[in-house]
Amino acid sequence: MAEQASREWWEELLQVYEFAHYRQYADELTRREVDFLIDALGLQGVESILDVACGGGRHSLALAARGWTVTGLDAAAPVIDHARAAAAERGLNVEFVTGDMRDLPYRERFDVVLLMNSSLGFFDDATNQAVLNGIARALVYGGKLVVQCLNPYQISRYLRDFRSGWYPIGSGFVLREARFDPRRATLEIDYRYVDASRGIDVTHPGDQIRLYGFPELTAMLRAAGLRPLSVFGDAALPPVPFAEESVWQVVIATRDRPVMREAEDADHADR
């Protein structure tokens, strides 16, 4: 009988060992996404970057290898340990932090924040809004957020290749079963990992990811004090327009200085 394994155990399996098993694909995907980030954000090589829900650190490590100052944050301590070991092995100066995206400690520190691969939506609506509020506070004025989310209007197209099936990781196999609840606009994913050679048969606690359409997502960004600048249909080059058939929505938003504060600054300058 399958037993339930902790979320941290699963994060290590899916964020570290799955990418290691499919190394060539993962490396090419990371290269394409980082090329997109550099181009879409107009990065100059001097920006400080916060990678929220960084997982095994593939974006953080790739950006650090190209010269950026990067902090990667994830709630799963074992995954962060792997990311730190990878940085040390490659001689990269990356700060990896175990932390909760719902309680970011940063204030006006980063030029760029990344929230990639549908990492928004793991909580209720109020908490997901609070995550964006915390990200906004972490950005300097004029700083930019990149948030990559699944497009709920094309979820059936996404699930066509993702819905269910077994696939290998290491010496075992993962069974993934996914479904979409349209009443709650929520993607539900269950996993089971079986490795007969090691006597392992465990199940995932279950993920539920709230998916937001573009109007909802941009309203949440504005509520956090972030102004949407552009949207793409994928994190890839050449740029992919956000269109009817887009499975992904990749939104770039900036933190503007509040109008009231600008007026106060001008008032002080006149005195």
Side-chain angles (χ1 to χ4, degrees), residues 15 30 33-34 37 48-64 69-75 80 83 94-101 104 106 110-117 119 135 138-139 144-148:
Q15 295 293 335
T30 303
E33 290 175 342
V34 169
L37 293 170
S48 59
I49 300 173
L50 173 63
D51 186 4
V52 175
C54 68
R58 61 189 185 90
H59 294 112
S60 296
L61 293 166
L63 285 162
T69 300
V70 186
T71 298
L73 180 142
D74 199 277
I80 287 294
V94 188
E95 180 186 17
F96 283 109
V97 178
T98 302
D100 192 326
M101 69 168 73
L104 297 178
Y106 310 110
F110 297 98
D111 300 300
V112 172
V113 176
L114 307 178
L115 191 60
M116 302 290 288
N117 301 116
S119 294
I135 285 173
L139 282 167
K144 295 176 181 177
L145 163 68
V146 181
V147 56
Q148 178 189 27

Side-chain angles (χ1 to χ4, degrees), residues 66-250:
R66 301 198 198 186
W68 275 272
T69 300
V70 186
T71 298
L73 180 142
D74 199 277
V79 172
I80 287 294
D81 289 342
H82 281 280
R84 286 175 180 150
E89 181 180 346
R90 296 168 59 180
L92 298 175
N93 184 21
V94 188
E95 180 186 17
F96 283 109
V97 178
T98 302
D100 192 326
M101 69 168 73
R102 293 169 291 184
D103 188 26
L104 297 178
Y106 310 110
R107 296 293 184 274
E108 298 180 25
R109 175 170 166 181
F110 297 98
D111 300 300
V112 172
V113 176
L114 307 178
L115 191 60
M116 302 290 288
N117 301 116
S118 248
S119 294
L120 178 70
F122 281 91
F123 314 108
D124 60 36
D125 288 340
T127 306
N128 293 329
Q129 180 67 63
V131 168
L132 292 177
N133 296 347
I135 285 173
R137 289 191 295 270
L139 282 167
V140 300
Y141 290 109
K144 295 176 181 177
L145 163 68
V146 181
V147 56
Q148 178 189 27
C149 297
L150 287 167
N151 176 14
Y153 304 119
Q154 283 292 342
I155 193 63
S156 60
R157 189 167 172 227
Y158 174 75
L159 289 175
R160 186 172 58 201
D161 299 321
F162 185 87
R163 186 180 298 277
S164 63
W166 291 91
Y167 62 94
I169 297 181
S171 57
F173 292 85
V174 169
L175 171 63
R176 178 185 58 231
E177 296 178 295
R179 58 204 168 274
F180 181 69
D181 181 351
R183 292 175 178 82
R184 299 184 300 125
T186 299
L187 177 63
E188 301 172 345
I189 311 174
D190 295 321
Y191 296 95
R192 178 182 177 188
Y193 181 70
V194 177
D195 185 342
S197 67
R198 299 167 62 193
I200 298 174
D201 187 351
V202 294
T203 60
H204 188 276
D207 275 335
Q208 297 190 7
I209 309 172
R210 171 72 157 93
L211 302 185
Y212 296 100
F214 182 70
E216 291 178 286
L217 183 57
T218 53
M220 293 171 69
L221 291 168
R222 291 190 179 98
L226 298 165
R227 177 169 55 89
L229 297 174
S230 54
V231 59
F232 301 89
D234 199 358
L237 291 177
V240 177
F242 182 57
E244 180 182 351
E245 68 278 7
S246 298
V247 171
W248 292 98
Q249 48 189 343
V250 185

Side-chain angles (χ1 to χ4, degrees), residues 19 22-32 58:
F19 280 105
Y22 300 97
R23 174 61 62 193
Q24 183 175 353
Y25 169 78
D27 287 348
E28 177 59 21
L29 175 66
T30 303
R31 184 194 64 76
R32 293 201 311 266
R58 61 189 185 90

